[in-house]
Amino acid sequence: DAEITQSPRHKITETGRQVTLACHQTWNHNNMFWYRQDLGHGLRLIHYSYGVHDTNKGEVSDGYSVSRSNTEDLPLTLESAASSQTSVYFCASSGSEFSGTPRNEQFFGPGTRLTVL
Amino acid sequence: AQKITQTQPGMFVQEKEAVTLDCTYDTSDPSYGLFWYKQPSSGEMIFLIYQGSYDQQNATEGRYSLNFQKARKSANLVISASQLGDSAMYFCAMKAAGNKLTFGGGTRVLVKP
């Protein structure tokens, strides 16, 4: 069965360190998204990609970067981790906007809980 | 810019009763979609139901139905015959161009036996 996985599931790091969160999907989806979830804010979009070598900034992109070298993976990098980036991070994927059903829902990974001390 | 508002931070519901979760939205796009996702305590995001802005009928998926009032810009989720397993966070989200989602702050539901 197709799936979307994230690793690690839990990570503790120190302020100033570079951290990379992995996201891998086997849906063969063109669209991939990274969100962060904080109490009271729901999920907020960090970065997204519509295909290989395409990346775009979302609502809360400062301090984060992504790269898309293949269809399956969209790693999220925190260049210099800050305590404000302590959060739960979700990766999601979906088909292209005009493919499949109008619904075209996003499928979410299990999340990565990141703590920055 | 899109905005989603969920005004109920938390609510209790008696097992076997129905519950309505409120969601209002704001957008200037004529074409959009509205989703509801469930997040149980285990943390995963589970798709529940979808309503397109041009859909003539309210969406239904099993015990879930969406009360879509376009003029009022509301897309309330109705869960009928609540079960203990319905205890979770529920998020309303709106799809914009490019399939990006904007989420509301969520409503926590606790089903009492």
Side-chain angles (χ1 to χ4, degrees), chain A residues 38-59:
Chain A
D38 305 293
L39 217 58
H41 286 280
L43 279 73
R44 291 181 291 175
L45 184 63
I46 305 172
H47 280 286
Y48 56 101
S49 168
Y50 292 139
V52 177
H53 302 311
D54 175 74
T55 62
N56 305 277
K57 294 182 178 180
E59 178 189 354

Side-chain angles (χ1 to χ4, degrees), chain A residues 31 33 35 37 40-43 45 48 50 90 94-95 97 102-106 108 110, chain B residues 35 37 39 42-45 47 50 61 91 95-101 103-106:
Chain A
N31 298 351
F33 308 85
Y35 297 89
Q37 181 178 20
H41 286 280
L43 279 73
L45 184 63
Y48 56 101
Y50 292 139
F90 285 96
S94 74
E97 187 169 6
R103 189 173 84 189
N104 197 23
E105 75 268 30
Q106 293 185 17
F108 283 81
Chain B
F35 294 84
Y37 281 87
Q39 186 178 44
S42 51
E44 70 268 31
M45 296 289 287
F47 164 77
Y50 169 80
E61 294 277 355
F91 291 98
K95 176 171 70 169
N99 214 35
K100 295 177 287 182
L101 292 179
F103 285 83

Side-chain angles (χ1 to χ4, degrees), chain B residues 44-86:
Chain B
E44 70 268 31
M45 296 289 287
I46 302 168
F47 164 77
L48 293 179
I49 196 167
Y50 169 80
Q51 180 85 41
S53 58
Y54 294 120
D55 293 343
Q56 294 298 311
Q57 293 189 330
N58 286 346
T60 59
E61 294 277 355
R63 293 187 298 110
Y64 305 107
S65 61
L66 206 152
N67 183 4
F68 182 48
Q69 298 187 45
K70 195 171 182 177
R72 298 180 63 182
K73 294 189 175 181
S74 73
N76 299 338
L77 176 70
V78 180
I79 306 174
S80 62
S82 295
Q83 302 171 356
L84 296 179
D86 294 334

Side-chain angles (χ1 to χ4, degrees), chain A residues 11-19 78-86 114-117:
Chain A
K11 175 78 176 177
I12 299 175
T13 191
E14 296 177 339
T15 302
R17 289 189 180 269
Q18 185 181 78
V19 177
L78 288 68
E79 301 293 344
S80 177
S83 57
S84 60
Q85 294 177 308
T86 293
L114 177 68
T115 303
V116 183
L117 301 176

